[in-house]
Amino acid sequence: FQKHEFFVDMTCEGCSNAVTRVLHRLGGESFDIDLPNKKVCIDSEHNVDTLLETLKKTGKNASYLGEKSVQ
């Protein structure tokens, strides 16, 4: 699995819940949501485009920050 980092313009718990919902629908994703820094880290076999499209379904502004190295 690749670890990808995305910026998602989340302002509250509701926003992060929306992100959680769309990612659960995608299935098989393990992810961390960093609400204060508006970042979502996703462990996935899906490609970046699929993940970005999925995150945009929340209605939030989302962009790809890059691959995260796994320590």
Side-chain angles (χ1 to χ4, degrees), residues 8-12 15-16 19 33-35 38-40 60:
V8 181
D9 196 11
M10 303 174 287
T11 51
C12 63
C15 299
S16 64
V19 169
I33 296 176
D34 178 354
L35 188 53
K38 302 184 178 193
K39 287 184 183 170
V40 180
K60 301 289 163 204

Side-chain angles (χ1 to χ4, degrees), residues 19-34:
V19 169
T20 302
R21 239 187 347 269
V22 295
L23 289 175
H24 276 307
R25 254 189 242 133
L26 201 52
E29 309 307 309
S30 114
F31 56 91
D32 290 310
I33 296 176
D34 178 354

Side-chain angles (χ1 to χ4, degrees), residues 10 16 19 21 38-39 44-45 47 49 57 64-65:
M10 303 174 287
S16 64
V19 169
R21 239 187 347 269
K38 302 184 178 193
K39 287 184 183 170
S44 176
E45 75 239 345
N47 66 30
D49 294 335
K57 285 180 188 165
Y64 184 52
L65 294 173

